[in-house]
Amino acid sequence: MHLEDRIKNGMTFYEHGHTDPIDIEQEKELEAQRRHCKEVMFDYNNTRPSENVKKKEILKGILGHCTDRVFIESPVHMSYGNHVHLGDQFYTNFNLVIIDDMDVYIGNQVMIGPNVTICTTGHPVYPLYREMGAHYSLPIHIGNKVWIGANSVVLPGVTIGENSVIGAGSIVTRDIPANVVAVGNPCRVIREITERDREYYFRDMKVDFPYTLREEG
């Protein structure tokens, strides 16, 4: 099995040092894609805050999927970019890092706080394999209306269900179901999202603005 197939199938792989002609060619192609993404990220991160049209054009040119209603604060860093699929009304604060050796699927109306890392790639625990430069990559799925708090890390193969909240500083090592609040290292569910959350926005602080009464559609 060749390099690209090994990556797609979640198997261990090496980025460099292949001897098979097909693997060598694929290695060169992947290296060129990573280099191109770094150049594009540099361009994006050096646009002026007022250049919103240019920012969106850059994102549409590199991402696997992106709508017009996406806003990514600079700086942002990705490995390939074309493996990142963003839903509508996506927002992320400063310093998002996406290691997208494998696909990352993010739903609609997702919010991400500052200094968040989404990483599809890991290394085997056994030291000899790391000495050999072994990697593995597994896809990440983040559902609609998820909120990921500041300084969180989402690790390979994780799925986060729709509407869920990941508390700041969490390390998400396993799947999180829909409609829950989860926090910690490792990240664990601490409670469900309930009707009380419709009435109170923070501890005992009550929601008082009228448009919260709008029926959700």
Side-chain angles (χ1 to χ4, degrees):
M1 188 175 292
H2 293 294
L3 173 59
E4 289 185 349
D5 292 324
R6 294 187 68 87
I7 296 173
K8 290 176 183 178
N9 284 282
M11 302 171 69
T12 53
F13 67 93
Y14 306 100
E15 289 184 339
H16 305 288
H18 297 92
T19 57
D20 182 280
I22 295 177
D23 288 333
I24 291 172
E25 187 60 31
Q26 290 179 355
E27 179 184 306
K28 291 178 180 178
E29 291 175 0
L30 293 174
E31 174 61 29
Q33 290 176 25
R34 291 193 297 270
R35 186 168 56 250
H36 173 66
C37 186
K38 288 179 181 179
E39 295 286 347
V40 172
M41 292 295 98
F42 179 88
D43 291 341
Y44 186 86
N45 291 331
N46 285 276
T47 55
R48 300 187 66 83
S50 59
E51 295 180 306
N52 289 324
V53 173
K54 183 178 180 180
K55 283 178 174 287
K56 288 177 183 178
E57 289 175 350
I58 292 173
L59 290 177
K60 287 185 175 181
I62 189 68
L63 298 184
H65 180 264
C66 173
T67 75
D68 284 327
R69 297 194 295 178
V70 163
F71 193 86
I72 298 178
E73 298 277 10
S74 304
V76 58
H77 301 281
M78 301 179 189
S79 297
Y80 290 87
N82 61 331
H83 300 144
V84 177
H85 311 270
L86 300 181
D88 195 30
Q89 293 181 268
F90 171 79
Y91 172 79
T92 182
N93 217 313
F94 307 104
N95 296 319
L96 174 66
V97 175
I98 304 182
I99 309 300
D100 63 314
D101 295 328
M102 181 63 79
D103 289 309
V104 175
Y105 297 97
I106 300 178
N108 300 325
Q109 297 175 309
V110 170
M111 297 194 309
I112 295 180
N115 303 312
V116 167
T117 297
I118 298 172
C119 184
T120 66
T121 296
H123 303 276
V125 171
Y126 194 70
L128 177 61
Y129 299 137
R130 297 200 307 279
E131 179 185 336
M132 298 165 65
H135 302 60
Y136 64 88
S137 297
L138 300 170
I140 290 173
H141 296 79
I142 298 172
N144 295 335
K145 300 182 182 180
V146 166
W147 173 25
I148 300 177
N151 298 300
S152 295
V153 179
V154 181
L155 293 179
V158 162
T159 293
I160 301 174
E162 65 179 8
N163 302 322
S164 286
V165 175
I166 306 300
S170 294
I171 311 296
V172 189
T173 61
R174 296 185 182 276
D175 292 353
I176 302 296
N179 301 301
V180 299
V181 177
V183 66
N185 180 12
C187 188
R188 294 185 175 91
V189 175
I190 60 171
R191 67 177 180 87
E192 293 184 349
I193 296 172
T194 68
E195 280 300 307
R196 188 182 190 282
D197 296 296
R198 189 181 181 94
E199 189 174 358
Y200 295 91
Y201 64 94
F202 181 72
R203 296 179 181 170
D204 294 326
M205 298 180 179
K206 199 166 186 177
V207 175
D208 64 352
F209 38 92
Y211 65 77
T212 59
L213 300 177
R214 176 179 57 86
E215 289 297 323
E216 296 180 8

